[in-house]
Each structure stands twice: as C-alpha cells, then as structure tokens.
C-alpha cells in the first residue's frame, strides 16, 4: 500500500486551480467543472474536488490543511516566496526561521495552505 494522492474539498475549483497552478508552476492534468487534478513531480497526485459535489457528501465544517513542499536550499525558499508574491498569491507567513526550519506559507481561496520549507538538519 502507498499513499499517492491527496484530495482537497474546495468551494471554488477554478480559484483553487489557479492558486495551485501558480504555486506549483504546473498546469492541471485534468479539469472539469467540479474537479481538477495536478500530477506533482515525485508521483504525488493533488485533486481539488468541489465540496458540494463530493460523494458521499461531506458533513460538518470545512477542513483546514497544509501541504508542505520541501526544498534543498534556503535560497529556494526566498525565490519561491518572491515569485508567488509577484503572482499575487496570498502570503500569510513570510520567510521565517522556526525550530523546524526556514519556511513561508501561502493561502488559497478556501483556506488551504502551502508551506515551502527548508528543514533543519
């Protein structure tokens, strides 16, 4: 068994697709009115599924989540931060050194977060 796909339930598939396309620098591999799929290098798939179209229906409040993109060098954190900011992505935490490493965080239209991290060690 292996985990190779994450699906985020979103209210705005088009807005979230735009956010992830800019952040990942990848076009979606599949797009429909209620779903988009990204094939991320390394074999991971990222799906964006319109929340009110999920079967079986999602009950309860929205889910919060954070996806982490690891980079090898601190300058990559800075480069991606500057690029995402220039594209208009919402940066909710600028490049900051924390106990787990050097990172920044962007937030998509449904509150989903992408953290770029150069881990300590």
């Amino acid at each position: 068994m292996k985990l190779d796909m994450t699906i985020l339930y979103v209210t705005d598939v088009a807005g979230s697709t735009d956010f992830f396309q800019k952040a990942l620098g990848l076009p979606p591999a599949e797009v429909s009115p209620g779903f988009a799929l990204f094939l991320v290098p390394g074999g991971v798939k990222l799906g964006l599924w319109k929340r009110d179209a999920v079967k079986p229906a999602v009950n309860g409040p929205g889910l919060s989540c954070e996806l982490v993109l690891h980079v090898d060098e601190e300058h990559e954190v800075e480069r991606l931060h500057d690029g995402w900011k220039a594209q208009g992505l919402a940066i909710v935490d600028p490049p900051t050194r924390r106990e787990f490493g050097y990172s920044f965080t962007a937030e998509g239209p449904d509150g989903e977060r992408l953290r770029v991290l150069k881990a300590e060690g």
Side-chain angles (χ1 to χ4, degrees), residues 57-73:
V58 177
N59 297 314
L63 301 172
S64 297
C65 75
E66 179 175 294
L67 301 176
V68 180
L69 304 171
H70 288 266
V71 296
D72 294 328
E73 303 291 335

Side-chain angles (χ1 to χ4, degrees), residues 38-105:
F38 289 89
L39 303 177
V40 183
V44 175
K45 298 175 205 89
L46 174 63
L48 306 172
W49 196 354
K50 186 162 179 61
R51 183 177 177 78
D52 61 8
V54 174
K55 301 291 183 209
V58 177
N59 297 314
L63 301 172
S64 297
C65 75
E66 179 175 294
L67 301 176
V68 180
L69 304 171
H70 288 266
V71 296
D72 294 328
E73 303 291 335
E74 286 189 6
H75 69 87
E76 292 178 77
V77 172
E78 297 287 341
R79 181 183 63 77
L80 288 167
H81 168 266
D82 294 347
W84 290 9
K85 189 173 179 180
Q87 292 182 75
L89 299 184
I91 305 298
V92 296
D93 186 36
T96 305
R97 188 165 312 285
R98 303 198 187 283
E99 63 276 2
F100 51 81
Y102 187 60
S103 71
F104 78 92
T105 307

Side-chain angles (χ1 to χ4, degrees), residues 27-42:
E30 177 185 329
V31 178
S32 68
F35 186 79
L37 179 69
F38 289 89
L39 303 177
V40 183

